[in-house]
Amino acid sequence: MNYEIVTLEEKIAVGVSGRTNNTSPDAGAVIGGLWNRFYNEGVYAAIPKKEGAKAMGIYTDYAGDERSDCTLVVACEAEREPEGDEFAVCRIPAGRYAKFIVRGDMVKAVAAAWQEIWQMELDRAFRCDFEEYQDDCMGETEVHIYIGLK
């Protein structure tokens, strides 16, 4: 699986969050529940200062490696943190990332890409990784996956 090394500036992302891990039997329910809240319960619509922002799945606060607990934030980039505690706020740290471009069915292609990424010899930081959805198509779509590097 091909990737390029990119350097990103810090991003502020706003949305909803939960804690899970890749081996948990309820991981799918947690992830699906967050996406449902984000789109179907009005979270995305209520986020201020997000003009044209793409949806993101952010993995942060790792307890260890890819098999350990982490916080998943389903969000979109915002210009600044909103007032109050209505939303989960995540700061994606500036730094070096391995950027993968995934095309295909949104669910199947992304899941298959993660299976490959977990097997790769990347010098991962386990600070923050994220997916950036280029559109909201469930069928043929493009997703950029960023893996934080040391």
Side-chain angles (χ1 to χ4, degrees), residues 7 63 78 135:
T7 301
D135 57 46

Side-chain angles (χ1 to χ4, degrees), residues 126-144:
F126 291 106
R127 245 179 101 199
C128 187
D129 305 311
F130 66 99
E131 308 154 351
E132 186 176 67
Y133 293 82
Q134 303 305 300
D135 57 46
D136 60 0
C137 178
M138 290 300 288
E140 194 64 30
T141 191
E142 182 174 308
V143 179
H144 298 176

Side-chain angles (χ1 to χ4, degrees), residues 13 26 34 65 80 90 95-96 126 135 140 144:
D26 70 341
L34 290 171
D65 61 15
R80 65 177 189 269
C90 176
R96 292 182 38 213
F126 291 106
D135 57 46
E140 194 64 30
H144 298 176

Side-chain angles (χ1 to χ4, degrees), residues 22-129:
N22 294 326
T23 60
S24 173
D26 70 341
V30 171
I31 294 167
L34 290 171
W35 282 105
N36 183 60
R37 284 182 55 209
F38 185 71
Y39 278 120
N40 298 329
E41 295 179 19
V43 173
Y44 177 75
I47 296 171
K49 302 289 183 186
K50 65 166 182 318
E51 285 59 86
K54 297 173 175 78
M56 305 167 86
I58 306 162
Y59 306 88
T60 188
D61 299 327
Y62 284 92
D65 61 15
E66 70 273 3
R67 294 175 302 278
S68 64
D69 286 356
C70 69
T71 299
L72 169 60
V73 184
V74 174
C76 65
E77 190 172 357
E79 292 176 21
R80 65 177 189 269
E81 291 187 29
E83 300 290 326
D85 59 358
E86 181 180 358
F87 304 104
V89 176
C90 176
R91 289 188 173 268
I92 298 171
R96 292 182 38 213
Y97 290 81
K99 176 185 177 183
F100 298 82
I101 297 177
V102 179
R103 292 180 180 90
D105 175 85
M106 183 182 287
V107 175
K108 292 177 186 171
V110 170
W114 278 109
Q115 291 295 322
E116 283 190 56
I117 290 167
W118 292 331
Q119 303 304 313
M120 296 177 79
E121 296 287 330
L122 295 171
D123 193 17
R124 294 182 65 181
F126 291 106
R127 245 179 101 199
C128 187
D129 305 311

